Amino acid sequence: MDRLRQRADFLAVANGARAGSAAFIVQNRRRDDDGPIRVGFTVTKKNGTATERNRIRRRLRELVKRLDPVSMRPHSDYVLVGRRAALTSDFATMLEDLRSALNRLDRQQPKPSNAFSNEVDAGSRKETRQKTAIAQGANRIE
């Protein structure tokens, strides 16, 4: 199991399926390559000070270490988004929540892909509107 480290990878996973619990949200995206399972961890600043966020991140990393890799789909990326409740939740409860969240993700149907599914759109809304207007204008010229 590898770690997700680049922002583009986190953004790509954010567009995939998700399942939540009280202590975290699990996001999932299936990849087209034959690489290993990759896992990323993130905790926003609204969850507390740096020491609290680091503690949440450490607890999430330990959950994934104790989880059997069979419950995760091969050739997939996962992101665990920590919540404040991860500081005080019982560890055994969090482990069961992670297992059930992964089972829910397995049951979800994959989203239909669009023409730009391999690209990560990190542009502004204005840029997106401009691209859409250009594409619509190209269709009218025919």
Side-chain angles (χ1 to χ4, degrees):
M1 225 178 313
D2 289 345
R3 293 275 308 272
L4 286 178
R5 301 210 184 262
Q6 294 183 352
R7 183 174 189 270
D9 293 334
F10 280 87
L11 291 175
V13 176
N15 292 329
R18 63 185 66 198
S21 74
F24 52 84
I25 298 171
V26 181
Q27 299 172 338
N28 175 22
R29 178 177 169 267
R30 188 158 176 87
R31 293 190 325 269
D32 294 331
D33 62 1
D34 291 334
I37 298 170
R38 299 188 303 176
V39 182
F41 306 93
T42 184
V43 182
T44 62
K45 285 188 175 183
K46 72 178 181 179
N47 287 313
T49 63
T51 55
E52 292 168 332
R53 293 193 309 268
N54 288 337
R55 184 165 181 230
I56 292 170
R57 205 172 293 115
R58 281 195 309 268
R59 293 192 79 182
L60 294 177
R61 275 197 307 261
E62 190 61 29
L63 281 175
V64 172
K65 284 180 188 175
R66 293 191 185 190
L67 185 70
D68 49 338
V70 176
S71 57
M72 293 181 158
R73 283 190 238 158
H75 318 300
S76 294
D77 291 341
Y78 293 90
V79 172
L80 273 74
V81 181
R83 292 181 174 168
R84 183 122 178 117
L87 283 173
T88 57
S89 295
D90 181 47
F91 196 78
T93 305
M94 286 176 57
L95 192 57
E96 283 303 313
D97 287 346
L98 180 57
R99 285 188 182 116
S100 69
L102 290 173
N103 286 335
R104 281 181 280 153
L105 285 174
D106 282 341
R107 289 192 308 253
Q108 285 183 2
Q109 295 294 328
K111 292 183 180 179
S113 63
N114 59 11
F116 302 105
S117 63
N118 292 335
E119 297 178 15
V120 177
D121 186 20
S124 67
R125 289 185 183 142
K126 183 177 179 182
E127 289 173 350
T128 305
R129 282 193 303 259
Q130 289 173 346
K131 289 177 188 176
T132 305
I134 291 170
Q136 289 173 350
N139 289 339
R140 286 186 214 143
I141 292 173
E142 298 173 7

